[in-house]
């Protein structure tokens, strides 16, 4: 006997969006999630009585996606200014102030038919740019794309950048991403704490086996929407994988080999007051409107990028440090206290703020190890050389039975984002519902 017509595996944004759409269409569906919470890599941490949202995963809305238009925080573009640490000096500057933008412009001008290559190889071929520009561009690829520059595809980067980014600074959701989760959270039909380990499938029938809070559980359904993170799908092709598909997803092997999971680490420091307002830059200007602080060239092991939370005041202030790519991978598995100490050291060096005074003003540090998280195994994906079409290949359904959603299946340049995950979930729900219609 069937337990439902369709099962959705994974209750991150893609799974929640897919499930919501299926329910709206009157489909008989279940949603199966390993964690005891919804949201996956969207992970707002509630802090009682605290006025600002604390996010452990996604925080920004990238670009101006129509899917999230209703969630954009008003006043999100309150006047803020950015600074950078250059040769140990604090100067007003944006991320691309030292010429990195020109590198990306030249990259965008490449013929679409030119052979694909990695960003590192592209930089080598364009050695005429000044060192500061090259350094800034590399820091962006590692930081924002969370990628290995020796692997990431220039063709895929060009496609992504062509979608348009945030020219006036990134937006945030009103009150944080908790509001989005609330809006797409289902009223019922969700199995939390159910860790799927086997998906046995044939055309028109799927058996899903899980351990739910340690006890075996099984669902028989006609179709499945798989929203597992890329890393978990990649592992599924190896022996001893956390999730095994029987038969294995051979048809996806090429796509899975042309995508990679990026690494990112964020640490949010909560302070009694906006301590940065007490700091001054090289020219004596106060940092009271500090938005972003870029320090791409800081020594290895230090946190290069920082941003403050809008609305920080004497009622509560917070600043978030960010590392991507190899800097983030280097911190995987470190205890949260070590990460907090590293963050305080880095911030103290960047702002030239006495470390003891920082400690005194600190209320708490918040971080999550996405690399070690068994249900994420990394931050978000990118395409490696030759992989610009791999997102679409991963998204393609198999035998009208397995459907695929999740940020890594987003082929319109919005992979690695919340709105990309949302879009992919809605797309997969439409595909799966159509088969049953
Ligand atoms: C640190 C960080 C910062 C980010 N910042 C931003 C940002 O500012 N803006 C932005 O747009 N995007 C950002 N992103 C990316 C964004 O969070 C993701 O693209 C998006 O949330 C992915 O959603 P998803 O549904 O595809 O995957 P997920 O959220 O990973 O959902 C997959 C679900 O599958 C579940 N699962 C895994 N294994 C099993 C199993 N065996 N059985 C059952 N369930 C399982 C997981 O628990 C998870 O809930 C960030 C990501 C990270 C990690």
């Amino acid at each position: 006997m069937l337990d439902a017509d369709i099962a959705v595996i994974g209750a991150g944004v893609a799974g929640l969006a897919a499930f919501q759409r299926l329910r709206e269409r009157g489909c008989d569906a279940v949603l199966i999630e390993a964690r005891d919470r919804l949201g996956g890599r969207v992970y707002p941490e509630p802090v009682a009585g605290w006025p600002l949202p604390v996010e452990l995963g996604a925080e920004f809305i990238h670009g101006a996606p129509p899917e999230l238009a209703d969630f954009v925080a008003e006043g999100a573009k309150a006047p803020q200014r950015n600074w950078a640490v250059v040769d140990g000096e604090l100067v007003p500057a944006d991320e691309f102030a030292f010429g990195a933008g020109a590198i990306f412009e030249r990259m965008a001008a490449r013929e679409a038919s030119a052979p694909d290559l990695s960003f590192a190889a592209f930089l080598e071929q364009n050695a005429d740019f000044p060192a500061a520009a090259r350094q800034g561009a590399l820091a962006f690829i590692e930081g924002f794309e969370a990628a290995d520059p020796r692997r990431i595809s220039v063709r895929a980067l060009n496609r992504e950048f062509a979608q348009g980014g945030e020219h006036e600074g990134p937006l945030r959701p009103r009150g944080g991403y908790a509001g989005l989760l609330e809006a797409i959270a289902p009223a019922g039909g969700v199995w939390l704490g159910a860790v799927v380990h086997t998906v046995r499938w044939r055309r028109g029938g799927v058996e899903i086996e899980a351990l739910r809070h340690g006890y075996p559980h099984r669902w028989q359904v006609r179709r499945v929407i798989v929203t597992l993170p890329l890393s978990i799908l990649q592992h599924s092709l190896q022996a001893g994988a956390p999730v095994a598909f029987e038969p294995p997803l051979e048809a996806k092997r090429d796509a899975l080999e042309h995508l990679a999971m990026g690494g990112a680490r964020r640490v949010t420091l909560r302070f009694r007051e906006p301590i940065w307002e007490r700091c001054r830059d090289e020219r004596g200007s106060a940092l009271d409107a500090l938005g972003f602080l870029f320090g791409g060239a800081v020594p290895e092991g230090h946190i290069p990028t920082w941003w403050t939370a809008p609305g920080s005041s004497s009622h509560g202030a917070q600043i978030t440090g960010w590392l991507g790519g190899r800097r983030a991978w280097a911190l995987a598995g470190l205890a949260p206290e070590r990460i907090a100490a590293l963050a305080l050291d880095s911030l103290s060096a960047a702002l030239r703020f006495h470390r003891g005074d920082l400690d005194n003003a600190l209320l708490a540090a918040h971080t999550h190890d996405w690399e070690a998280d068994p249900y994420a195994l990394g931050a978000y994906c990118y395409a490696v050389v030759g992989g610009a079409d791999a997102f679409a290949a991963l998204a393609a359904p198999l035998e009208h039975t397995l459907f695929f959603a999740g940020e890594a299946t987003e082929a319109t340049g919005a992979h690695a984002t919340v709105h990309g995950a949302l879009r992919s979930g809605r797309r997969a729900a439409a595909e799966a519902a159509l088969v049953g219609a």
Side-chain angles (χ1 to χ4, degrees):
M1 210 189 81
L2 287 178
D3 296 290
D5 211 28
I6 307 182
V8 179
I9 303 180
V13 168
L16 289 169
F19 191 63
Q20 185 183 45
R21 277 291 153 95
L22 292 173
R23 284 286 179 100
E24 282 167 5
R25 286 168 175 251
C27 295
D28 173 23
V30 288
L31 176 58
I32 306 168
E33 167 58 46
R35 305 176 198 268
D36 282 319
R37 63 170 180 85
L38 304 175
R41 284 171 273 167
V42 170
Y43 191 2
E45 187 178 26
V47 179
W50 188 249
L52 301 168
V54 177
E55 304 282 1
L56 299 176
E59 172 171 346
F60 298 104
I61 296 174
H62 295 301
E67 291 90 347
L68 296 180
D70 289 346
F71 293 93
V72 174
E74 281 169 31
K77 290 187 183 150
Q80 286 195 315
R81 292 171 58 206
N82 302 330
W83 274 264
V85 182
V86 182
D87 298 330
E89 300 200 332
L90 206 50
V91 293
D94 279 318
E95 193 164 24
F96 292 164
F98 305 100
I103 294 182
F104 292 122
E105 273 167 31
R106 191 181 293 175
M107 188 175 91
R110 289 185 93 234
E111 293 288 331
S113 57
D116 198 7
L117 75 176
S118 72
F119 186 72
F122 171 78
L123 266 192
E124 265 170 40
Q125 283 183 7
N126 292 272
D128 53 315
F129 285 105
R134 296 156 59 80
Q135 208 284 324
L138 266 178
F140 180 80
I141 294 298
E142 291 199 308
F144 187 76
E145 301 289 336
D148 180 343
R150 295 163 308 177
R151 299 193 70 206
I152 192 168
S153 151
V154 158
R155 184 174 296 161
L157 278 172
N158 275 341
R159 263 193 214 169
E160 177 190 332
F161 294 171
Q163 301 304 306
E166 45 252 1
H167 302 298
E168 299 166 55
L171 303 173
R172 288 177 168 87
R174 197 172 41 249
Y177 267 120
L180 172 68
L181 293 187
E182 235 165 71
I184 58 176
V190 191
W191 295 78
L192 289 177
V195 183
V196 172
H197 56 80
T198 308
V199 180
R200 212 165 280 120
W201 65 286
R202 61 187 156 69
R203 194 181 175 96
V206 188
E207 189 176 86
I208 300 164
E209 289 184 7
L211 278 182
R212 185 156 192 255
H213 298 133
Y215 294 97
H217 200 101
R218 180 181 302 179
W219 294 265
Q220 306 258 18
V221 294
R222 278 195 228 294
R223 299 182 292 280
V224 171
I225 298 180
V226 179
T227 78
L228 294 167
L230 172 74
S231 45
I232 293 181
L233 293 178
Q234 287 172 326
H235 277 286
S236 80
L237 290 171
Q238 296 159 12
V243 182
F245 286 80
E246 296 178 7
L249 301 178
E250 276 307 326
K252 299 292 178 188
R253 185 179 286 278
D254 190 56
L256 292 171
E257 287 176 353
H258 280 90
L259 296 171
M261 199 66 165
R265 187 65 182 257
R266 52 174 295 155
V267 49
T268 294
L269 301 175
R270 287 196 295 122
F271 287 107
R272 291 177 209 289
E273 52 169 319
I275 45 97
W276 55 89
E277 290 182 0
R278 291 196 239 153
C279 302
R280 292 190 174 270
D281 68 11
E282 292 315 314
R283 299 172 195 175
S285 306
L287 265 61
D288 48 358
L290 177 67
F292 277 82
L293 175 61
F294 301 107
V298 299
E300 288 296 313
H302 273 238
I303 297 181
T305 305
W306 293 88
W307 61 81
T308 62
S312 290
S313 71
S314 54
H315 299 295
Q318 69 197 31
I319 186 163
T320 296
W322 177 270
L323 311 94
R326 91 203 126 84
R327 286 182 191 263
W329 287 313
L331 301 187
L334 272 193
E337 306 76 56
R338 297 265 312 272
I339 304 284
L342 171 74
L344 289 163
D345 283 344
S346 302
L347 190 61
S348 157
L351 294 178
R352 280 162 305 166
F353 200 98
H354 190 258
R355 169 69 202 268
D357 292 341
L358 270 189
D359 288 354
N360 289 339
L362 183 73
L363 292 170
H366 302 256
T367 189
H368 183 78
D369 191 345
W370 292 103
E371 209 61 39
D373 182 327
Y375 307 126
L377 300 176
Y380 43 81
C381 80
Y382 62 94
V384 304
V385 175
D389 296 326
F391 306 105
L394 186 60
L398 294 179
E399 301 283 349
H400 304 290
T401 303
L402 294 188
F403 298 83
F404 294 87
E407 52 98 5
T409 68
E410 226 303 297
T412 62
H415 58 275
T417 66
V418 172
H419 63 274
L422 194 74
R423 199 176 284 171
S424 75
R426 291 177 178 169
R427 184 235 337 121
E431 291 167 350
L434 204 62
V435 171

